[in-house]
Amino acid sequence: MAETNFDEEMKNVLEKLSEKELRMTPQRILISKTILSMVKNHSSLKEIYDETQKVLPRVGMSTVYNTIKMLEALKIIDTFDVDGKMRIDQTFPHINIYCRNEDKIIDLDENAMEEITKILAKYGVNMNIKKILIDGKCIDS
Ligand SMILES: [Zn+2]
């Protein structure tokens, strides 16, 4: 996430929470900031937890998990499972490429999703696709 975006996103989080009259503790704000700073990397719960420990050594895994789920419920982030491990993701419709051998997930641009939607339409399949995960071994070219 670009730095400029980041403060906007955080403002968005706090606005959405106050609309729902949810209380945001300083601890939750710090955890949310950590989560948002890692969303582009598709970080796992464990990675987010480790990062959170650097600023909040006493925080528990369940608090980190609950904060992720709160941000997901507010539609600020998305989550999905890869090999039974939760990963965080951006919410716009896109294709994720999972390089199994490198344990890395990268995003394809939004045009790729449009193309796939068009191809499916040719087969009479009209879908509102939210997320695609392509799972494989990435080979250096
Ligand atoms: Zn993604």
Side-chain angles (χ1 to χ4, degrees), residues 4-133:
T4 45
N5 255 329
F6 182 68
D7 288 341
E8 276 300 304
E9 279 286 308
M10 201 57 219
K11 225 177 86 191
N12 193 9
V13 172
L14 295 170
E15 270 167 19
K16 283 192 180 179
L17 284 168
S18 66
E19 273 167 28
K20 292 183 194 295
E21 295 180 349
L22 286 170
R23 222 164 46 87
M24 191 73 160
T25 60
Q27 175 177 287
R28 280 227 154 165
I29 292 174
L30 268 176
I31 302 169
S32 297
K33 279 186 178 170
T34 305
I35 296 166
L36 289 175
S37 73
M38 297 176 83
V39 73
K40 271 198 172 172
N41 299 331
H42 304 89
S43 299
S44 66
L45 172 61
K46 175 78 172 69
E47 286 165 342
I48 297 163
Y49 173 71
D50 289 345
E51 201 57 34
T52 308
Q53 290 286 299
K54 293 179 189 169
V55 281
L56 295 164
R58 283 164 195 274
V59 98
M61 183 75 95
S62 63
T63 306
V64 175
Y65 177 82
N66 289 335
T67 309
I68 292 170
K69 285 294 166 187
M70 178 198 77
L71 293 176
E72 185 180 30
L74 293 170
K75 301 192 190 318
I76 288 162
I77 62 163
D78 237 351
T79 70
F80 64 109
D81 271 22
V82 179
D83 282 348
K85 275 202 277 177
M86 183 170 78
R87 303 278 196 144
I88 55 168
D89 199 9
Q90 300 175 91
T91 54
F92 68 89
H94 68 275
I95 301 167
N96 293 292
I97 312 283
Y98 176 40
C99 298
R100 184 168 280 278
N101 49 322
E102 295 170 27
D103 194 33
K104 186 177 80 182
I105 301 171
I106 50 174
D107 287 338
L108 278 191
D109 64 52
E110 287 160 87
N111 298 337
M113 192 64 111
E114 269 172 41
E115 287 305 314
I116 287 179
T117 307
K118 274 185 212 158
I119 293 165
L120 287 174
K122 278 188 205 163
Y123 290 89
V125 181
N126 291 302
M127 285 181 101
N128 209 341
I129 313 168
K130 205 177 146 211
K131 199 180 292 297
I132 293 175
L133 180 68

